[in-house]
Amino acid sequence: MNFSTSVTDERVLGVRFDDACLIVDLMDGRTISVPLAWYPRLQGASPQQLENWETAGGGYGIHWPEIDEDLSTEGLLRGAPAPKAA
């Protein structure tokens, strides 16, 4: 019996935004799109702050230094919004 296994690479290739969503392209060709409303720091940031991102965690995370926001591809793939403020 022959089983095929797909190779996934969940590292960040690119980050972009539209009016309502954060869009993350992964190295393996997948694209994740999540509502900006899930991430208040990103939603309140200027376009310049949003463009100033860097990969983190060996490429499995995204860091915005000016707004101190960090997201992981694992959390994005799970559909995990930012925790509610207490």
Side-chain angles (χ1 to χ4, degrees), residues 3-80:
F3 289 96
S4 168
T5 59
S6 62
V7 176
T8 62
D9 188 347
E10 297 173 355
R11 291 178 296 152
V12 175
L13 177 63
V15 175
R16 54 197 159 96
F17 297 87
D18 67 17
D19 291 339
C21 293
L22 161 65
I23 304 160
V24 179
D25 297 311
L26 302 181
M27 292 284 200
D28 63 10
R30 290 181 288 171
T31 298
I32 307 165
S33 177
V34 294
L36 268 177
W38 284 7
Y39 306 102
R41 286 184 186 168
L42 294 179
Q43 191 172 34
S46 72
Q48 293 79 17
Q49 290 172 316
L50 293 175
E51 290 176 17
N52 183 22
W53 63 272
E54 54 196 37
T55 58
Y60 293 93
I62 310 161
H63 175 66
W64 287 266
E66 291 181 53
I67 58 174
D68 194 28
E69 181 71 287
D70 295 282
L71 300 176
S72 70
T73 56
E74 178 185 2
L76 292 169
L77 286 165
R78 279 188 292 117

